[in-house]
Amino acid sequence: MLLGFDIGGTNLKAGLVDLTGKIVRTDSIPTPDSIIDFRKLSDTLLSRVAAGAQLLGAGIGCPGVINPVDTKVENLPGKMSYLEGFTLSDLVPRWLPEGVSVCADNDARAALAGELMFGSARGKKNVLMLTLGSGVGGAIAVNGALIRGHRGVAGHLGHMTVDPLGAYCLCGNRGCLETVFSARAFEIEAFAAIQRGCDCAMRRLHGDEPHLITCADVFACASEGDPVARAIIERGTRYLGGAIAGLLHLLDSEIVILGGQIAQAGATLFDPIRRDVERRTRRLLGRTVPILATVAGPHAGILGAASLALHAARNQRTRA
Ligand SMILES: [Zn+2]
């Protein structure tokens, strides 16, 4: 069995995965606000998930720049910056049997590794992936290799500038993709609409406590026909479509994979994105690039983290 640990901005998810990529057990908790709580709660979570399992290895996916050699979190702006400087393998419980390797990488890169090994990208060599959650992550495979770049930062697609004069982003830039398309961006837009007094379903839902509105609420209101919620999602989706089209012109990927909590919206998201990207790229690319969901849905991060562990275990065996 493999243990996959997916550290996200909203939830910490852990899962037990067999060697064929089948997820046999999962659990999750809300992401803690401090390193003390992170240590304590992740220890409990991982103990619960891995209890009684014979582990071949453990893998961790974490946002930011992660050194895959020593698993150190080198750069992680935002809510989880408390993890910066920590070595992720030290945060995994001490009860792991001796000899069980712990590896880690950027969460989106791990998710793409999982899709290449077990999922929608099996047999593909040129793949573009975006993880659409509280922020936006990304990963790129070119000619079968996951792109890392000079210092391991490559693939931070959520921090592509899509509006040079747009809102300030947690990364220090302005108008990044995740300032206009992400769960956080949608929640901020919905909060502002409620505060402005817009007559909408979101205000009727959370008028007294607008800070409680969630991305899922915005999608639910939009699917019920609320024009304000629809406009918020449509605006973000157009930015995302434009960004994917630009990336396809740059990379000429065979397929695009969308993961993360917002991708769970299904056709509400995929239909307009497919139409928009097709319109923008058809002439130059001369084909329709498939835009697919992750095979493991909400557990794509767990599967990706587990695939890192399997990859490391196989390498270890090859070296031995
Ligand atoms: Zn940014």
Side-chain angles (χ1 to χ4, degrees):
M1 285 289 172
L2 305 158
L3 178 63
F5 185 27
D6 177 26
I7 300 173
T10 309
N11 291 303
L12 304 183
K13 299 179 186 173
L16 214 50
V17 181
D18 75 12
L19 302 191
T20 67
K22 188 173 161 222
I23 297 170
V24 296
R25 190 188 301 163
T26 64
D27 202 349
S28 69
I29 53 169
T31 304
D33 292 325
S34 70
I35 187 67
I36 295 168
D37 285 346
F38 182 92
R39 275 181 184 279
K40 196 167 62 188
L41 298 173
S42 61
D43 193 88
T44 310
L45 173 72
L46 294 168
S47 314
R48 218 159 45 214
V49 169
Q54 284 248 316
L55 288 179
L56 180 66
I60 306 171
C62 180
V65 181
I66 314 300
N67 185 330
V69 177
D70 61 7
T71 77
K72 187 176 170 189
V73 181
E74 295 189 337
N75 195 338
L76 178 50
K79 183 185 162 189
M80 285 187 297
S81 59
Y82 59 77
L83 286 176
E84 269 184 353
F86 279 93
T87 300
L88 289 169
S89 56
D90 289 343
L91 298 175
V92 171
R94 289 161 293 282
W95 46 257
L96 276 181
E98 207 169 317
V100 171
S101 64
V102 179
C103 49
D105 206 338
N106 169 271
D107 55 349
R109 200 177 287 139
L112 178 51
E115 292 297 318
L116 287 163
M117 193 177 277
F118 299 118
S120 305
R122 268 178 106 154
K124 308 287 185 204
K125 290 190 179 309
N126 292 284
V127 184
L128 170 63
M129 177 159 191
L130 289 109
T131 55
L132 312 170
S134 48
V136 171
I140 299 162
V142 172
N143 296 333
L146 289 170
I147 301 304
R148 309 199 74 86
H150 178 54
R151 299 196 63 189
V153 185
H156 275 71
L157 305 179
H159 299 289
M160 280 188 307
T161 307
V162 294
D163 180 0
L165 299 178
Y168 278 96
C169 179
L170 57 84
C171 73
N173 184 22
R174 291 182 68 176
C176 292
L177 176 61
E178 73 173 39
T179 67
V180 290
F181 187 104
S182 64
R184 205 181 295 126
F186 290 145
E187 286 159 6
I188 289 168
E189 282 293 312
F191 175 85
I194 296 169
Q195 289 288 76
R196 280 195 298 269
C198 295
D199 182 20
C200 62
M202 299 181 297
R203 185 160 164 241
R204 289 190 283 281
L205 197 65
H206 285 298
D208 295 334
E209 295 179 296
H211 61 284
L212 294 182
I213 189 118
T214 65
C215 178
D217 292 331
V218 182
F219 271 85
C221 290
S223 70
E224 285 161 18
D226 181 62
V228 180
R230 280 189 167 184
I232 289 171
I233 291 168
E234 190 191 340
R235 176 176 181 269
T237 303
R238 294 301 291 272
Y239 276 111
L240 178 63
I244 292 173
L247 287 163
L248 288 176
H249 286 142
L250 181 75
L251 298 164
D252 189 17
S253 311
E254 293 165 87
I255 57 166
V256 178
I257 301 177
L258 302 181
Q261 68 174 93
I262 307 179
Q264 301 308 304
T268 311
L269 175 73
F270 280 80
D271 288 353
I273 284 287
R274 286 177 179 133
R275 277 197 301 273
D276 196 29
V277 172
E278 159 91 20
R279 201 165 40 228
R280 292 173 189 270
T281 58
R282 180 85 200 159
R283 178 78 189 272
L284 195 54
L285 297 181
R287 65 196 168 93
T288 301
V289 180
I291 300 179
L292 310 170
T294 52
V295 74
H299 301 314
I302 291 173
L303 187 64
S307 77
L308 295 179
L310 183 55
H311 187 70
R314 281 176 179 166
N315 277 354
Q316 211 169 29
R317 207 176 308 154
T318 310
R319 281 198 303 271

